[in-house]
């Protein structure tokens, strides 16, 4: 379902100043559209309009059903910034979409659960595992199945996350590797138990990043800076108190507060681009190429630009 949230306040006019004094920076545009998807790992998105309004920017949030729609809308200029799994962005960038990673967004946020009879991934030979196509969960799962040598003995069923609980409950699938709050919802309803900690792969907890198109950034550097600033502030808000994210999940997904609160324990909001952030993105691309998901990798010097943080 597409949802839109709009906030608008009057912009401030820049004041001319002598050359020796920097001109007051202001956004080049008065409105932006933000592409996202409603999940526990992208909860900064609904907070951005509040912070962008302070910079005089009207922000409209558009929730898409999947990563491909989000990134295609961004590349076409229908949105100006978006939240995406890093592997999904790499996949589309490798196909020529002019995408740039601006900032870290969220780490973790997914888990593999299955019927109580199964104790490990090896027990799922000949069974069905649901996973959302294009997600970091799919990449990590396929890497692990290959590492165990059972990739040809497990059937992957491609479903959007919100479509996973019903077939798990009915027994149509044997396990799911989903994004929060879906794994917690299914587990706490007693339909499945934890089987595998997915953060043990070379991907670690790498997941959501903030993305924009290079053409938008080139034309609107100060607007881009304000968007990243709003994202950092939204992240800090959730780090201090994630109750607003839990409340949104309760309202929109009709969850119990207990399930939402438990799901938040497996979601790690961050805007940190220090340490091995850039190297870890390259590592994701290496794994994607190893797994045959891409034949060539993006130009990393163009794909990652954290200078606005």
């Amino acid at each position: 379902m597409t949802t839109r949230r709009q906030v608008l306040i009057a912009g401030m006019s820049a004041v001319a100043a002598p050359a020796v004094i920097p001109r007051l920076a202001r956004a080049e545009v008065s409105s932006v559209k933000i592409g996202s998807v409603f999940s526990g790992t992208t909860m900064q998105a609904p907070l951005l309009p509040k912070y962008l309004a302070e910079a005089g920017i009207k922000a409209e949030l558009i929730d898409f059903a999947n990563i491909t729609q989000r990134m295609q809308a961004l590349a076409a200029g229908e949105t100006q910034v978006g939240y995406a799994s890093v592997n999904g962005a790499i996949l589309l960038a490798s196909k020529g979409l002019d995408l740039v990673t601006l900032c870290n967004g969220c780490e973790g946020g997914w888990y593999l659960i299955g019927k109580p009879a199964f104790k490990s991934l090896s027990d799922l030979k000949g069974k069905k595992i649901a996973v959302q196509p294009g997600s970091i969960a799919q990449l990590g799962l396929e890497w692990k199945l290959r590492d165990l040598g059972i990739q040809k003995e497990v059937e992957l069923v491609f479903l959007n996350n919100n479509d996973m609980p019903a077939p798990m409950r009915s027994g149509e699938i044997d396990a799911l590797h989903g994004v929060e709050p879906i794994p917690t919802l299914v587990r706490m309803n007693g339909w499945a138990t934890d089987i595998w900690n997915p953060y043990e792969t070379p991907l670690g907890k790498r997941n959501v990043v903030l993305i924009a198109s290079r053409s938008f950034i080139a034309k609107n550097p100060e607007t881009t800076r304000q968007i990243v600033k709003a994202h950092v502030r939204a992240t800090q808000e959730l780090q201090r108190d994630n109750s607003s994210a839990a409340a949104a999940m309760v309202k929109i997904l009709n969850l119990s507060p207990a399930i939402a609160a438990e799901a938040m324990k497996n979601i790690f909001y961050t805007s940190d681009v220090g340490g091995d952030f850039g190297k870890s993105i390259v590592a994701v691309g290496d794994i994607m190429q190893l797994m045959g998901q891409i034949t060539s990798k993006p130009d990393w010097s163009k794909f990652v630009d954290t200078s606005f943080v």
Side-chain angles (χ1 to χ4, degrees):
M1 178 179 296
T2 298
T3 61
R4 299 169 183 264
R5 307 172 181 86
Q6 299 183 341
V7 179
L8 176 64
I9 64 174
M12 297 177 60
S13 299
V15 179
V20 294
I21 302 176
R23 181 177 62 85
L24 177 63
R26 66 174 181 178
E28 296 84 358
V29 297
S30 61
S31 64
V32 295
K33 293 181 179 180
I34 303 163
S36 187
V37 60
F38 186 84
S39 80
T41 58
T42 58
M43 294 306 294
Q44 292 104 320
L47 297 176
L48 291 195
K50 174 177 67 175
Y51 291 115
L52 286 171
E54 297 177 11
I57 301 172
K58 170 187 173 182
E60 180 181 356
L61 176 62
I62 304 176
D63 287 333
F64 292 89
N66 57 58
I67 173 66
T68 300
Q69 292 177 356
R70 270 175 284 160
M71 295 301 94
Q72 288 178 338
L74 194 153
E78 297 170 5
T79 59
Q80 285 69 57
V81 66
Y83 288 88
S85 61
V86 63
N87 64 302
I90 291 172
L91 174 64
L92 295 177
S94 73
K95 295 182 178 181
L97 271 69
D98 193 18
L99 304 178
V100 180
T101 297
L102 295 170
C103 191
N104 204 348
C106 184
E107 297 179 351
W110 68 95
Y111 218 87
L112 192 143
I113 60 176
K115 296 177 181 178
F118 307 123
K119 306 301 180 184
S120 69
L121 279 176
S122 297
D123 295 333
L124 290 170
K125 293 179 183 178
K127 305 301 180 181
K128 297 179 180 179
I129 305 177
V131 67
Q132 179 161 311
S135 66
I136 197 76
Q138 179 192 356
L139 180 62
L141 176 59
E142 291 190 348
W143 184 92
K144 184 62 176 181
L145 294 175
R146 175 172 173 162
D147 186 56
L148 293 172
I150 61 172
Q151 71 272 27
K152 295 182 180 180
E153 301 177 67
V154 174
E155 180 181 351
L156 298 187
V157 178
F158 294 119
L159 295 172
N160 287 331
N161 283 289
N162 291 344
D163 295 329
M164 294 179 185
M168 189 73 240
R169 182 181 186 182
S170 67
E172 295 176 62
I173 57 176
D174 301 289
L176 67 83
H177 195 199
V179 176
E180 297 291 1
I182 298 305
T184 297
L185 166 68
V186 172
R187 184 178 61 250
M188 290 185 67
N189 273 289
W191 306 331
T193 59
D194 292 341
I195 292 180
W196 174 58
N197 181 345
Y199 308 138
E200 67 177 27
T201 76
L203 300 174
K205 293 181 179 178
R206 180 65 54 231
N207 193 352
V208 174
V209 290
L210 185 67
I211 301 287
S213 70
R214 179 158 298 281
S215 58
F216 175 79
I217 295 170
K219 295 176 182 177
N220 305 281
E222 184 55 34
T223 303
T224 302
R225 193 176 308 281
Q226 292 298 331
I227 292 171
V228 173
K229 181 179 178 180
H231 166 74
V232 171
R233 293 178 67 188
T235 300
Q236 292 170 340
E237 178 179 335
L238 291 175
Q239 288 174 336
R240 290 191 302 268
D241 180 6
N242 60 24
S243 60
S244 64
M249 288 193 284
V250 168
K251 181 178 180 180
I252 296 176
L253 296 180
N254 194 29
L255 297 178
S256 74
I259 290 175
E262 186 66 22
M264 297 306 299
K265 297 177 182 179
N266 189 33
I267 299 172
F268 312 98
Y269 300 111
T270 179
S271 58
D272 183 17
V273 295
D276 64 351
F277 177 71
K279 291 181 179 179
S280 70
I281 290 179
V282 174
V284 173
D286 290 341
I287 294 172
M288 292 177 70
Q289 191 169 46
L290 174 67
M291 300 300 296
Q293 293 188 1
I294 57 175
T295 56
S296 61
K297 289 174 282 191
D299 181 339
W300 299 120
S301 65
K302 295 180 179 180
F303 182 73
V304 181
D305 182 357
T306 60
S307 64
F308 293 94
V309 179

